[in-house]
């Protein structure tokens, strides 16, 4: 699923996000996402390819059941080098992704250490990260 552009488009349209829960087998196999991803057509664009890496362009065109089309084109996304993610967004994403592995206190300590990398000893951050439980693969 993480390498399937049709799946990623379908699940993001349906769920409004692509997070770890969208990679759960039951979500991948559900009828709504399977039906939608079969309707998605991906076409490469030489123009877009030439514009990379300065831009990360894409265009999405939806054809509605009544025949109308809705289109959206983007040159980049929040988190791309031309539009860095805001610190607050980075922290929110970190907290969301790490919540099942660490408690709020450790999360805040890690965020604080990263925010102050230029003034702390790197060993401090390494000791904090060593406290993180990572499930076996």
């Amino acid at each position: 699923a993480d390498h399937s552009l049709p799946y990623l488009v379908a699940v993001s349209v349906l769920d409004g996000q692509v997070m770890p829960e969208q990679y759960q087998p039951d979500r991948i196999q559900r009828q709504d996402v399977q039906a939608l991803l079969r309707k998605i057509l991906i076409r490469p664009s030489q123009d877009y390819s030439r514009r990379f890496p300065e831009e990360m362009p894409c265009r999405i065109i939806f054809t509605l059941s009544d025949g109308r089309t809705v289109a959206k084109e983007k040159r980049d996304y929040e988190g791309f080098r031309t539009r860095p993610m805001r610190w607050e967004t980075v922290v929110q994403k970190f907290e969301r992704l790490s919540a099942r592995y660490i408690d709020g206190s450790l999360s805040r300590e890690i965020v604080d250490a990263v925010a102050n990398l230029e003034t702390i000893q790197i060993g401090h951050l390494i000791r904090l990260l060593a406290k993180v439980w990572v499930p076996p693969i």
Side-chain angles (χ1 to χ4, degrees), residues 6-7 9-16 22 25-40:
Y7 174 78
V9 170
V11 79
S12 67
V13 167
L14 292 168
D15 295 356
Q22 277 70 42
D26 64 323
R27 182 64 187 117
I28 295 168
Q29 296 167 3
R30 276 210 342 238
Q31 178 57 30
D32 63 342
V33 73
Q34 287 297 313
L36 183 56
L37 77 84
R38 287 185 185 97
K39 296 177 182 180
I40 294 173

Short mmCIF file of all heavy atoms in Angstrom, two decimals, residues 6-7 9-16 22 25-40:
data_model
loop_
_atom_site.label_atom_id
_atom_site.label_comp_id
_atom_site.label_asym_id
_atom_site.label_seq_id
_atom_site.Cartn_x
_atom_site.Cartn_y
_atom_site.Cartn_z
N PRO A 6 -2.24 4.76 -6.50
CA PRO A 6 -3.70 4.73 -6.48
C PRO A 6 -4.26 4.50 -5.07
O PRO A 6 -5.24 5.13 -4.68
CB PRO A 6 -4.05 3.57 -7.42
CG PRO A 6 -2.90 3.53 -8.37
CD PRO A 6 -1.70 3.86 -7.53
N TYR A 7 -3.64 3.59 -4.31
CA TYR A 7 -4.12 3.37 -2.94
C TYR A 7 -3.96 4.63 -2.10
O TYR A 7 -4.88 5.03 -1.38
CB TYR A 7 -3.38 2.20 -2.26
CG TYR A 7 -3.80 2.08 -0.81
CD1 TYR A 7 -5.02 1.50 -0.47
CD2 TYR A 7 -3.02 2.62 0.21
CE1 TYR A 7 -5.45 1.45 0.84
CE2 TYR A 7 -3.44 2.57 1.53
CZ TYR A 7 -4.65 1.98 1.84
OH TYR A 7 -5.08 1.95 3.15
N VAL A 9 -3.84 7.76 -2.98
CA VAL A 9 -4.81 8.78 -3.38
C VAL A 9 -6.19 8.41 -2.85
O VAL A 9 -6.89 9.23 -2.26
CB VAL A 9 -4.82 8.97 -4.91
CG1 VAL A 9 -5.98 9.85 -5.35
CG2 VAL A 9 -3.50 9.57 -5.39
N ALA A 10 -6.60 7.15 -3.06
CA ALA A 10 -7.93 6.72 -2.64
C ALA A 10 -8.13 6.88 -1.13
O ALA A 10 -9.12 7.46 -0.69
CB ALA A 10 -8.17 5.27 -3.06
N VAL A 11 -7.20 6.39 -0.35
CA VAL A 11 -7.37 6.43 1.10
C VAL A 11 -7.28 7.87 1.62
O VAL A 11 -7.97 8.23 2.57
CB VAL A 11 -6.40 5.47 1.81
CG1 VAL A 11 -4.99 6.04 1.92
CG2 VAL A 11 -6.93 5.08 3.18
N SER A 12 -6.49 8.71 0.98
CA SER A 12 -6.41 10.10 1.44
C SER A 12 -7.71 10.84 1.12
O SER A 12 -8.15 11.69 1.90
CB SER A 12 -5.20 10.82 0.84
OG SER A 12 -5.34 10.98 -0.54
N VAL A 13 -8.33 10.52 -0.01
CA VAL A 13 -9.62 11.13 -0.35
C VAL A 13 -10.68 10.68 0.64
O VAL A 13 -11.47 11.47 1.15
CB VAL A 13 -10.03 10.79 -1.80
CG1 VAL A 13 -11.48 11.13 -2.06
CG2 VAL A 13 -9.13 11.53 -2.78
N LEU A 14 -10.71 9.40 0.95
CA LEU A 14 -11.74 8.84 1.83
C LEU A 14 -11.54 9.22 3.29
O LEU A 14 -12.50 9.52 4.00
CB LEU A 14 -11.78 7.31 1.70
CG LEU A 14 -12.26 6.80 0.35
CD1 LEU A 14 -11.99 5.31 0.23
CD2 LEU A 14 -13.74 7.10 0.16
N ASP A 15 -10.27 9.20 3.76
CA ASP A 15 -9.99 9.40 5.18
C ASP A 15 -9.47 10.79 5.52
O ASP A 15 -9.39 11.16 6.68
CB ASP A 15 -8.97 8.37 5.67
CG ASP A 15 -9.49 6.94 5.62
OD1 ASP A 15 -10.68 6.74 5.27
OD2 ASP A 15 -8.71 6.02 5.92
N GLY A 16 -9.05 11.53 4.49
CA GLY A 16 -8.51 12.86 4.74
C GLY A 16 -7.11 12.85 5.30
O GLY A 16 -6.59 13.88 5.73
N GLN A 22 -3.91 3.98 8.15
CA GLN A 22 -4.29 3.73 6.77
C GLN A 22 -3.48 2.57 6.16
O GLN A 22 -3.80 2.11 5.08
CB GLN A 22 -4.13 4.99 5.91
CG GLN A 22 -5.30 5.94 6.00
CD GLN A 22 -5.41 6.64 7.34
OE1 GLN A 22 -4.44 7.07 7.92
NE2 GLN A 22 -6.63 6.73 7.84
N PRO A 25 -3.94 -3.69 7.55
CA PRO A 25 -4.51 -4.59 6.54
C PRO A 25 -6.02 -4.46 6.39
O PRO A 25 -6.53 -4.49 5.26
CB PRO A 25 -4.12 -5.99 7.05
CG PRO A 25 -2.84 -5.74 7.80
CD PRO A 25 -3.03 -4.40 8.46
N ASP A 26 -6.74 -4.28 7.49
CA ASP A 26 -8.20 -4.18 7.37
C ASP A 26 -8.61 -2.92 6.62
O ASP A 26 -9.61 -2.91 5.89
CB ASP A 26 -8.89 -4.27 8.73
CG ASP A 26 -8.54 -3.12 9.65
OD1 ASP A 26 -7.38 -2.67 9.64
OD2 ASP A 26 -9.44 -2.67 10.40
N ARG A 27 -7.83 -1.82 6.75
CA ARG A 27 -8.16 -0.59 6.02
C ARG A 27 -7.83 -0.76 4.55
O ARG A 27 -8.57 -0.34 3.67
CB ARG A 27 -7.40 0.62 6.60
CG ARG A 27 -7.77 1.92 5.89
CD ARG A 27 -9.25 2.23 6.12
NE ARG A 27 -9.72 3.35 5.35
CZ ARG A 27 -10.68 3.23 4.41
NH1 ARG A 27 -11.23 2.07 4.15
NH2 ARG A 27 -11.10 4.30 3.76
N ILE A 28 -6.71 -1.37 4.26
CA ILE A 28 -6.28 -1.58 2.87
C ILE A 28 -7.31 -2.42 2.13
O ILE A 28 -7.64 -2.14 0.98
CB ILE A 28 -4.89 -2.25 2.83
CG1 ILE A 28 -3.83 -1.31 3.41
CG2 ILE A 28 -4.54 -2.69 1.41
CD1 ILE A 28 -2.49 -1.97 3.68
N GLN A 29 -7.86 -3.42 2.79
CA GLN A 29 -8.75 -4.37 2.13
C GLN A 29 -10.22 -3.96 2.12
O GLN A 29 -11.02 -4.60 1.43
CB GLN A 29 -8.61 -5.73 2.81
CG GLN A 29 -7.23 -6.30 2.64
CD GLN A 29 -6.95 -7.47 3.56
OE1 GLN A 29 -7.80 -7.92 4.31
NE2 GLN A 29 -5.72 -7.97 3.51
N ARG A 30 -10.59 -2.89 2.83
CA ARG A 30 -12.00 -2.50 2.88
C ARG A 30 -12.52 -2.14 1.49
O ARG A 30 -11.81 -1.59 0.65
CB ARG A 30 -12.21 -1.34 3.85
CG ARG A 30 -12.36 -1.85 5.25
CD ARG A 30 -13.22 -1.05 6.20
NE ARG A 30 -13.51 0.31 5.89
CZ ARG A 30 -13.21 1.32 6.69
NH1 ARG A 30 -12.58 1.14 7.82
NH2 ARG A 30 -13.56 2.55 6.36
N GLN A 31 -13.79 -2.42 1.29
CA GLN A 31 -14.43 -2.25 -0.01
C GLN A 31 -14.38 -0.81 -0.53
O GLN A 31 -14.15 -0.58 -1.71
CB GLN A 31 -15.88 -2.74 0.06
CG GLN A 31 -16.67 -2.56 -1.22
CD GLN A 31 -16.05 -3.22 -2.43
OE1 GLN A 31 -15.38 -4.24 -2.32
NE2 GLN A 31 -16.26 -2.65 -3.61
N ASP A 32 -14.59 0.18 0.37
CA ASP A 32 -14.64 1.57 -0.11
C ASP A 32 -13.34 1.99 -0.77
O ASP A 32 -13.33 2.55 -1.86
CB ASP A 32 -15.04 2.54 1.01
CG ASP A 32 -14.06 2.60 2.17
OD1 ASP A 32 -13.22 1.67 2.33
OD2 ASP A 32 -14.13 3.57 2.95
N VAL A 33 -12.23 1.68 -0.13
CA VAL A 33 -10.94 2.09 -0.70
C VAL A 33 -10.58 1.23 -1.91
O VAL A 33 -10.05 1.74 -2.90
CB VAL A 33 -9.82 2.09 0.37
CG1 VAL A 33 -9.38 0.71 0.78
CG2 VAL A 33 -8.61 2.89 -0.09
N GLN A 34 -10.90 -0.06 -1.86
CA GLN A 34 -10.61 -0.93 -3.00
C GLN A 34 -11.39 -0.50 -4.24
O GLN A 34 -10.86 -0.47 -5.35
CB GLN A 34 -10.89 -2.39 -2.65
CG GLN A 34 -9.88 -2.99 -1.70
CD GLN A 34 -8.49 -3.04 -2.29
OE1 GLN A 34 -8.30 -3.46 -3.44
NE2 GLN A 34 -7.50 -2.61 -1.54
N ALA A 35 -12.66 -0.13 -4.05
CA ALA A 35 -13.49 0.30 -5.17
C ALA A 35 -12.98 1.61 -5.76
O ALA A 35 -12.89 1.77 -6.98
CB ALA A 35 -14.94 0.46 -4.73
N LEU A 36 -12.61 2.56 -4.89
CA LEU A 36 -12.14 3.85 -5.38
C LEU A 36 -10.79 3.72 -6.06
O LEU A 36 -10.56 4.32 -7.12
CB LEU A 36 -12.08 4.88 -4.24
CG LEU A 36 -11.66 6.28 -4.65
CD1 LEU A 36 -12.56 6.84 -5.75
CD2 LEU A 36 -11.66 7.21 -3.43
N LEU A 37 -9.88 2.95 -5.51
CA LEU A 37 -8.54 2.89 -6.12
C LEU A 37 -8.59 2.27 -7.51
O LEU A 37 -7.76 2.58 -8.36
CB LEU A 37 -7.54 2.20 -5.21
CG LEU A 37 -7.52 0.69 -5.05
CD1 LEU A 37 -6.74 0.02 -6.16
CD2 LEU A 37 -6.86 0.36 -3.72
N ARG A 38 -9.59 1.45 -7.78
CA ARG A 38 -9.73 0.88 -9.14
C ARG A 38 -10.20 1.92 -10.15
O ARG A 38 -10.09 1.70 -11.36
CB ARG A 38 -10.68 -0.30 -9.10
CG ARG A 38 -10.07 -1.52 -8.43
CD ARG A 38 -10.99 -2.73 -8.50
NE ARG A 38 -10.42 -3.82 -7.74
CZ ARG A 38 -10.76 -4.11 -6.48
NH1 ARG A 38 -11.68 -3.40 -5.86
NH2 ARG A 38 -10.19 -5.12 -5.86
N LYS A 39 -10.70 3.03 -9.69
CA LYS A 39 -11.17 4.09 -10.58
C LYS A 39 -10.10 5.15 -10.84
O LYS A 39 -10.31 6.09 -11.59
CB LYS A 39 -12.41 4.77 -10.00
CG LYS A 39 -13.60 3.84 -9.87
CD LYS A 39 -14.75 4.54 -9.22
CE LYS A 39 -15.93 3.60 -9.06
NZ LYS A 39 -17.07 4.27 -8.42
N ILE A 40 -8.96 5.00 -10.19
CA ILE A 40 -7.90 6.02 -10.27
C ILE A 40 -6.94 5.69 -11.40
O ILE A 40 -6.45 4.57 -11.50
CB ILE A 40 -7.17 6.14 -8.91
CG1 ILE A 40 -8.14 6.69 -7.88
CG2 ILE A 40 -5.93 7.01 -9.04
CD1 ILE A 40 -7.62 6.70 -6.46
#
